Amino acid sequence: MTTTAAAAPTATTDADRAEAGRQAIATCPETFEELRGEGDQQLVEYAAKDDAKVLAALNTIGELSPEQLPYLGKFLAEQLVEDAIEAESVKQLGAYRATRQARTATDPLAYEETDPKHPGYLDRVLGAAA
């Protein structure tokens, strides 16, 4: 008598894929094994509520080997945390750049006169060359 392994259920819609990802996070015993930072578990729980974030994390993870498949919840949780940290970094960098740009636009002496980023630097260099 031979036995065949049942095919893994496939999620056909994005909502099904996201729900399967949330289920993998909930059922994987190693999900928070390496995520021990303050607020990591709450961050994963919050991010997992958003289908778009779960789908983006699943797409980033890509295909898993049969040996890795039981750890999908762990990989997904780690990817959600990584994506959240990256999004926050991009947000902070944008705010920093906007503040810096506003400061240099209103304060032309934000850079020293010998600094190539100073608004009058190019005029002085070209004027000296003429």
Side-chain angles (χ1 to χ4, degrees):
M1 179 174 179
T2 60
T3 60
T4 58
T10 57
T12 56
T13 66
D14 285 346
D16 291 342
R17 288 183 68 219
E19 185 56 38
R22 283 189 281 275
Q23 187 66 27
I25 291 171
T27 59
C28 181
E30 292 87 6
T31 296
F32 297 103
E33 185 177 281
E34 294 180 22
L35 295 175
R36 297 194 178 154
E38 186 176 330
D40 282 348
Q41 185 170 353
Q42 292 83 1
L43 181 61
V44 169
E45 291 169 357
Y46 177 77
K49 293 177 185 176
D50 186 354
D51 285 359
K53 290 178 183 178
V54 174
L55 293 172
L58 284 170
N59 289 336
T60 301
I61 292 170
E63 293 289 324
L64 296 177
S65 69
E67 296 85 28
Q68 295 173 321
L69 205 51
Y71 301 103
L72 174 61
K74 177 182 188 241
F75 298 148
L76 186 55
E78 291 172 354
Q79 189 63 47
L80 286 170
V81 169
E82 187 176 320
D83 290 350
I85 290 170
E86 187 172 333
E88 182 64 25
S89 296
V90 168
K91 180 180 171 184
Q92 288 180 1
L93 181 60
Y96 171 77
R97 286 182 176 160
T99 302
R100 189 83 174 131
Q101 189 175 20
R103 180 176 170 219
T104 57
T106 59
D107 183 10
L109 300 179
Y111 296 104
E112 295 180 17
E113 291 186 9
T114 57
D115 190 333
K117 293 176 255 167
H118 187 280
Y121 179 80
L122 189 57
D123 294 332
R124 284 193 307 282
V125 170
L126 294 176

